[in-house]
Each structure stands twice: as C-alpha cells, then as structure tokens.
Amino acid sequence: MSVSVERNGNEATLKISLTVEEVAKGFEKAVARVNKQVTIPGFRKGKAPRRILETHVGKDAIKEEAFQILANGEYRKAIDENKLIPVADPELKENKFEEGQPMEVTLLVTLRPEPELGEYKGLDVKKEVREITDADVDNAVEALQKRAAKLVAAPDDKKLEKGDMATIDFKGFIDDKPFEGGEGKGYPLEIGSGAFIPGFEDQLIGAGKGESREVKVTFPEDYSSKEVAGKEALFKVDVKDIKVREIPEVTDELIAANSDSKTVAEFREKTAERMKKAEADSAEQKYRRDLINKAVENAKFEVPQVMVDERANQMVDEMAMNLEAHRMSLPMYLQYLGKDIKTYRDEQKPVALENIKTDLVLEAIAEKEGIKVTEEEAVAEMQQIADAQGATLKQVRKIIKDNNSVSILIGNIARRKAAQVIFDNAKGAEKKEEAKAE
C-alpha cells in the first residue's frame, strides 16, 4: 500500500495504490459486511455463500462496498497522518479498481485554508465618537411628544398633509381590470409613512374628507406580487375620514407620565447621558470591528467557494428557525421581500465570506499565540448561555454534549481571546491602560 499527497493551495491530490492482496482483503470484508445486512431465505444472516449473495444483491453491490472500505480507509489515514482538514467530500478523479488487480485511485480534496498572517499587533485604527448636541436631545424630546400625541378628528375643511391619518376606500385597476389584492375599505393610512407604493400617498395630499381622487402609480419591478410587478395601475380612492395628531406641550407633567424622569430638565440630562453612552458603545464596537477587519485584510489566503456556499446555507437555515420561533415561515418572509430562495441565499454569500475570513484569521492568531481554553472558561460560557436561555448549567452542558458542540463552544471562546490580543496590542491601547490605572 502507498499513498502520496500533493498539496497545492487549498487543494490536495491523494493518490492511493493498493496491491492485489490488499484488494482481495477489501472484497472479503465487503462480502462479510453485505452478508450481515441482508436476509437470504434458507441461510442464517451473514452465512450465505458469496455466489448466492452475489445472485441476491448483484456483483456491483459487493464491488461498491469493497471500494468504499478500501478507499475510505486509506483516505482517512492520509488525512490524519498529513494533518489535512477537508471542507467537503473528496472528488474522485481516477479510479482503477477491479477484483484481482491492483487498485489505483486519485482523489481531489478541498482543504480548509491556512491563512498567512500579516500584522495583527500594533494596528492603528481611529475611533470616531460622535458628539451629542442639544439638537439630538431636542429630537428625543420631540419623539416623546409624538409618542404621547393623540389622534383627533380634523376640522371639516381640513386638507390632507404629511403626518395626517386618512381612512380610505380604494380599488385598483390594471388595463381597466380590477386585480387581486388591489381593493380595501376603511383602510387607515398615515400620509407620508411610505406604507403604500411610491407616489400613492403624495397624490392624496390636499384631498379633503369625502373627496374622491384617481391615483396613478407604477408598481416596482421587484414588487412581491409578480402579477403586478412593473405594471401601471389606476386607483380610485375615496377619503372617508381624516384625523390629525394633537401634539402636547412639553411640561414636567408630560415628561413624568411618559418617562422615568420627573422634570423636563431631568429628562434632558438623562437622555444626553444615555445618548453619550450609546454613542461611545457604538464607536467602541465599530473600532473593534475595524481592528479585526484590518488584521483580516493583512492576511493572505483564499476561501474555497464550497465553504462560502455552506456558510450561506447555514445562515438561511438559522433565519428559517428564527422566523419559526416568531410564528413565521421563510417562504412567507421571502414573499414579503419579493425574493426567491436562490436570490436570498446568494445575498448572504458576501457576509458569509467575511465571517469565514474573520474566523480563520482569529483561529490562526489563536494557534500562533498558543491560546488555550480552560475548563473554567468553558463552564463560564455555558453558564452565560444558561442564564440567557433561562436554563440550568446542567441542561446546557447536556445539550452541548448531545449535539457534539463542545468544539464549537471552545472555538468561539478561543476566537474571542484571539480578538482580545488584537485589541490589547493596538496602537493607543497602552495609553488606555495607563488612564484606567490613574
């Protein structure tokens, strides 16, 4: 037996050669294995002579089983001995395999990339924290006013403006014919909300209660209903009622009734502090993402397409599960977006690629830095999961073990520790530590 491995980037060519004697042993194992899997009348399971077995299942079945035994066995040995990490099933390029003859098999294996790390310490990335101004706080006060506003009946001579709430009846026509989903009665529509297709709400501005209007629009090309997508439509609209928002005056009483503050001054002070903290947190998160992205950019490697496709599929599956948890299906969600599953999956691929590249670089840094995950860190991670899910540590530990997800848990922790190496060694990190110490 001989196996040669030739690696070229993210691919490896495995050439497996077996002698006639080794092939014969493979056939013997195949006969025994198939014999145990079938029931042949007149024979105990596993005891039928080979010629009877071949008559029952066919010679090709025996040959296929022998090939799987021999090729898979040598493939796994080669992978283990050469420390290769495949990311997909091997592709059979050459196959010379017959009983009584030497075996010659060539396999092409797509491998997990091994990034050539660039600089990941001493990275210089600017953190930009937006200053919170009085105007930002004014906007928060205005938002509270709007939330506390009440809809009241408009004067009889009121004409629709943006922000008004109209109750309308409508019926749509394409080529003078009504179409499915194009009719509604007593429909509440906030003018300027963008709830209807572009142009519809704008053409109602200036209309009064009891007035009828004809609205001409063109459905977007990517509209969810393909029957009307890209087509021109005429809607006959009756304005049945108009309500306007009554915006309350900003007083201490209003603030006390609609927030955790008792006065306007206290609300403004607390709001400014919250905004500053949110902005600082957001800036820190972006700063850290930028540092990691810089380390990824500095590394050299290519990601096989099969890895991107698989990660995109995982992302779609995760979205489907999240939607189901909220009593919604993926097909329903895609219909709302006006997309098919292929389009949606393809849209995930750029994000999938970036996620894979980030994971690979962080894993390479963890290996280079000799990062290890302790039992205490793993337990702490499981405890956090348990707390977030309202479960016990014992329950989470069992689920992770049963799902064979221990390596995933450890990998997540190791990548975070590797990311911390990047953060701790970024330019300016020393000054931050000195400032903390002071």
Side-chain angles (χ1 to χ4, degrees), residues 27 30-31 34-35 38 40 49-66 99:
F27 270 88
V31 169
V34 174
N35 227 334
V38 299
I40 300 176
R50 178 173 175 177
R51 60 182 181 80
I52 301 297
L53 181 65
E54 289 179 346
T55 302
H56 190 77
V57 301
K59 291 184 177 182
D60 287 343
I62 303 294
K63 180 181 177 182
E64 178 64 25
E65 187 68 29
E99 189 171 10

Short mmCIF file of all heavy atoms in Angstrom, two decimals, residues 27 30-31 34-35 38 40 49-66 99:
data_model
loop_
_atom_site.label_atom_id
_atom_site.label_comp_id
_atom_site.label_asym_id
_atom_site.label_seq_id
_atom_site.Cartn_x
_atom_site.Cartn_y
_atom_site.Cartn_z
N PHE A 27 -12.36 -7.04 -0.53
CA PHE A 27 -13.53 -7.76 -1.02
C PHE A 27 -14.05 -8.73 0.05
O PHE A 27 -15.26 -8.91 0.20
CB PHE A 27 -13.20 -8.50 -2.31
CG PHE A 27 -13.45 -7.67 -3.54
CD1 PHE A 27 -12.47 -6.83 -4.05
CD2 PHE A 27 -14.67 -7.73 -4.19
CE1 PHE A 27 -12.70 -6.05 -5.17
CE2 PHE A 27 -14.92 -6.95 -5.32
CZ PHE A 27 -13.92 -6.11 -5.82
N ALA A 30 -16.00 -6.73 2.42
CA ALA A 30 -17.25 -6.29 1.79
C ALA A 30 -18.28 -7.40 1.78
O ALA A 30 -19.47 -7.17 2.08
CB ALA A 30 -16.98 -5.80 0.37
N VAL A 31 -17.85 -8.62 1.45
CA VAL A 31 -18.77 -9.77 1.44
C VAL A 31 -19.35 -9.99 2.83
O VAL A 31 -20.56 -10.19 3.00
CB VAL A 31 -18.05 -11.04 0.93
CG1 VAL A 31 -18.92 -12.27 1.17
CG2 VAL A 31 -17.72 -10.90 -0.54
N VAL A 34 -21.86 -6.98 3.72
CA VAL A 34 -23.13 -7.05 2.98
C VAL A 34 -23.95 -8.24 3.46
O VAL A 34 -25.18 -8.18 3.58
CB VAL A 34 -22.88 -7.12 1.46
CG1 VAL A 34 -24.20 -7.34 0.71
CG2 VAL A 34 -22.20 -5.85 0.97
N ASN A 35 -23.26 -9.35 3.73
CA ASN A 35 -23.93 -10.58 4.20
C ASN A 35 -24.72 -10.31 5.47
O ASN A 35 -25.82 -10.86 5.67
CB ASN A 35 -22.89 -11.67 4.45
CG ASN A 35 -23.30 -12.99 3.82
OD1 ASN A 35 -24.49 -13.25 3.64
ND2 ASN A 35 -22.33 -13.82 3.49
N VAL A 38 -28.24 -8.24 4.77
CA VAL A 38 -29.37 -8.77 4.00
C VAL A 38 -29.84 -10.09 4.59
O VAL A 38 -29.11 -10.79 5.29
CB VAL A 38 -28.99 -8.97 2.51
CG1 VAL A 38 -28.59 -7.65 1.88
CG2 VAL A 38 -27.86 -9.99 2.37
N ILE A 40 -31.33 -13.68 3.38
CA ILE A 40 -31.49 -14.56 2.22
C ILE A 40 -32.19 -15.85 2.69
O ILE A 40 -31.70 -16.52 3.60
CB ILE A 40 -30.13 -14.89 1.58
CG1 ILE A 40 -29.45 -13.59 1.11
CG2 ILE A 40 -30.30 -15.86 0.41
CD1 ILE A 40 -28.07 -13.79 0.54
N PRO A 49 -23.24 -18.25 1.11
CA PRO A 49 -22.04 -18.29 0.28
C PRO A 49 -22.00 -17.07 -0.64
O PRO A 49 -23.04 -16.50 -0.98
CB PRO A 49 -22.20 -19.58 -0.53
CG PRO A 49 -23.18 -20.40 0.25
CD PRO A 49 -24.10 -19.42 0.91
N ARG A 50 -20.78 -16.69 -1.05
CA ARG A 50 -20.64 -15.47 -1.84
C ARG A 50 -21.43 -15.53 -3.13
O ARG A 50 -22.06 -14.54 -3.53
CB ARG A 50 -19.15 -15.22 -2.14
CG ARG A 50 -18.95 -13.98 -2.99
CD ARG A 50 -17.51 -13.62 -3.16
NE ARG A 50 -17.38 -12.50 -4.09
CZ ARG A 50 -16.22 -11.91 -4.40
NH1 ARG A 50 -15.10 -12.34 -3.85
NH2 ARG A 50 -16.21 -10.91 -5.26
N ARG A 51 -21.42 -16.70 -3.82
CA ARG A 51 -22.12 -16.77 -5.11
C ARG A 51 -23.63 -16.58 -4.93
O ARG A 51 -24.29 -15.95 -5.76
CB ARG A 51 -21.84 -18.10 -5.80
CG ARG A 51 -22.27 -19.34 -5.02
CD ARG A 51 -21.91 -20.63 -5.75
NE ARG A 51 -22.34 -21.79 -4.99
CZ ARG A 51 -23.58 -22.24 -4.98
NH1 ARG A 51 -24.51 -21.63 -5.69
NH2 ARG A 51 -23.91 -23.31 -4.25
N ILE A 52 -24.17 -17.06 -3.79
CA ILE A 52 -25.59 -16.85 -3.51
C ILE A 52 -25.84 -15.38 -3.18
O ILE A 52 -26.82 -14.77 -3.63
CB ILE A 52 -26.05 -17.74 -2.33
CG1 ILE A 52 -25.83 -19.22 -2.64
CG2 ILE A 52 -27.52 -17.47 -2.00
CD1 ILE A 52 -26.63 -19.73 -3.83
N LEU A 53 -24.93 -14.79 -2.41
CA LEU A 53 -25.05 -13.38 -2.04
C LEU A 53 -25.03 -12.49 -3.29
O LEU A 53 -25.83 -11.57 -3.43
CB LEU A 53 -23.91 -12.99 -1.10
CG LEU A 53 -23.91 -11.55 -0.58
CD1 LEU A 53 -25.13 -11.29 0.30
CD2 LEU A 53 -22.62 -11.26 0.20
N GLU A 54 -24.10 -12.80 -4.22
CA GLU A 54 -24.00 -12.01 -5.44
C GLU A 54 -25.25 -12.14 -6.31
O GLU A 54 -25.67 -11.18 -6.96
CB GLU A 54 -22.75 -12.42 -6.23
CG GLU A 54 -21.45 -11.99 -5.59
CD GLU A 54 -20.23 -12.44 -6.37
OE1 GLU A 54 -20.40 -13.31 -7.26
OE2 GLU A 54 -19.12 -11.92 -6.11
N THR A 55 -25.83 -13.33 -6.31
CA THR A 55 -27.08 -13.52 -7.06
C THR A 55 -28.19 -12.67 -6.46
O THR A 55 -29.04 -12.12 -7.18
CB THR A 55 -27.50 -15.01 -7.04
OG1 THR A 55 -26.45 -15.79 -7.60
CG2 THR A 55 -28.78 -15.22 -7.83
N HIS A 56 -28.16 -12.54 -5.14
CA HIS A 56 -29.22 -11.82 -4.44
C HIS A 56 -29.06 -10.29 -4.54
O HIS A 56 -30.03 -9.58 -4.78
CB HIS A 56 -29.21 -12.24 -2.97
CG HIS A 56 -30.40 -11.75 -2.20
ND1 HIS A 56 -31.65 -12.34 -2.30
CD2 HIS A 56 -30.53 -10.72 -1.33
CE1 HIS A 56 -32.49 -11.70 -1.52
NE2 HIS A 56 -31.84 -10.71 -0.91
N VAL A 57 -27.82 -9.78 -4.35
CA VAL A 57 -27.63 -8.31 -4.33
C VAL A 57 -26.91 -7.79 -5.56
O VAL A 57 -26.90 -6.58 -5.82
CB VAL A 57 -26.84 -7.89 -3.06
CG1 VAL A 57 -27.57 -8.32 -1.81
CG2 VAL A 57 -25.41 -8.46 -3.08
N GLY A 58 -26.28 -8.68 -6.33
CA GLY A 58 -25.53 -8.24 -7.52
C GLY A 58 -24.06 -8.06 -7.22
O GLY A 58 -23.67 -7.65 -6.12
N LYS A 59 -23.23 -8.36 -8.22
CA LYS A 59 -21.77 -8.23 -8.04
C LYS A 59 -21.35 -6.78 -7.83
O LYS A 59 -20.40 -6.49 -7.10
CB LYS A 59 -21.04 -8.80 -9.25
CG LYS A 59 -21.14 -10.32 -9.36
CD LYS A 59 -20.31 -10.82 -10.54
CE LYS A 59 -20.34 -12.34 -10.62
NZ LYS A 59 -19.51 -12.84 -11.74
N ASP A 60 -22.08 -5.84 -8.47
CA ASP A 60 -21.71 -4.43 -8.35
C ASP A 60 -21.85 -3.93 -6.92
O ASP A 60 -21.09 -3.06 -6.48
CB ASP A 60 -22.57 -3.57 -9.28
CG ASP A 60 -22.18 -3.74 -10.75
OD1 ASP A 60 -21.07 -4.25 -11.00
OD2 ASP A 60 -22.97 -3.35 -11.63
N ALA A 61 -22.83 -4.45 -6.20
CA ALA A 61 -23.01 -4.03 -4.80
C ALA A 61 -21.82 -4.44 -3.96
O ALA A 61 -21.37 -3.68 -3.08
CB ALA A 61 -24.30 -4.63 -4.24
N ILE A 62 -21.30 -5.66 -4.21
CA ILE A 62 -20.11 -6.13 -3.48
C ILE A 62 -18.91 -5.26 -3.84
O ILE A 62 -18.13 -4.85 -2.97
CB ILE A 62 -19.82 -7.61 -3.82
CG1 ILE A 62 -21.03 -8.50 -3.51
CG2 ILE A 62 -18.58 -8.08 -3.06
CD1 ILE A 62 -21.37 -8.60 -2.06
N LYS A 63 -18.78 -4.98 -5.11
CA LYS A 63 -17.64 -4.17 -5.58
C LYS A 63 -17.70 -2.77 -4.99
O LYS A 63 -16.68 -2.23 -4.53
CB LYS A 63 -17.64 -4.10 -7.10
CG LYS A 63 -16.50 -3.28 -7.68
CD LYS A 63 -16.57 -3.23 -9.20
CE LYS A 63 -15.47 -2.36 -9.77
NZ LYS A 63 -15.54 -2.25 -11.25
N GLU A 64 -18.88 -2.17 -4.97
CA GLU A 64 -19.04 -0.82 -4.43
C GLU A 64 -18.69 -0.79 -2.94
O GLU A 64 -18.02 0.12 -2.46
CB GLU A 64 -20.48 -0.35 -4.64
CG GLU A 64 -20.78 1.04 -4.07
CD GLU A 64 -19.99 2.15 -4.76
OE1 GLU A 64 -19.57 1.96 -5.93
OE2 GLU A 64 -19.77 3.19 -4.11
N GLU A 65 -19.13 -1.81 -2.22
CA GLU A 65 -18.83 -1.88 -0.79
C GLU A 65 -17.34 -2.05 -0.56
O GLU A 65 -16.76 -1.41 0.34
CB GLU A 65 -19.61 -3.04 -0.16
CG GLU A 65 -19.52 -3.11 1.35
CD GLU A 65 -20.24 -1.96 2.02
OE1 GLU A 65 -21.23 -1.45 1.44
OE2 GLU A 65 -19.81 -1.55 3.12
N ALA A 66 -16.68 -2.88 -1.37
CA ALA A 66 -15.24 -3.08 -1.24
C ALA A 66 -14.49 -1.78 -1.52
O ALA A 66 -13.52 -1.44 -0.82
CB ALA A 66 -14.77 -4.18 -2.20
N GLU A 99 -11.47 -6.50 -8.94
CA GLU A 99 -11.01 -7.61 -8.12
C GLU A 99 -9.94 -8.38 -8.88
O GLU A 99 -10.05 -8.62 -10.09
CB GLU A 99 -12.18 -8.53 -7.76
CG GLU A 99 -11.81 -9.59 -6.73
CD GLU A 99 -13.01 -10.36 -6.21
OE1 GLU A 99 -14.11 -10.21 -6.79
OE2 GLU A 99 -12.85 -11.11 -5.24
#
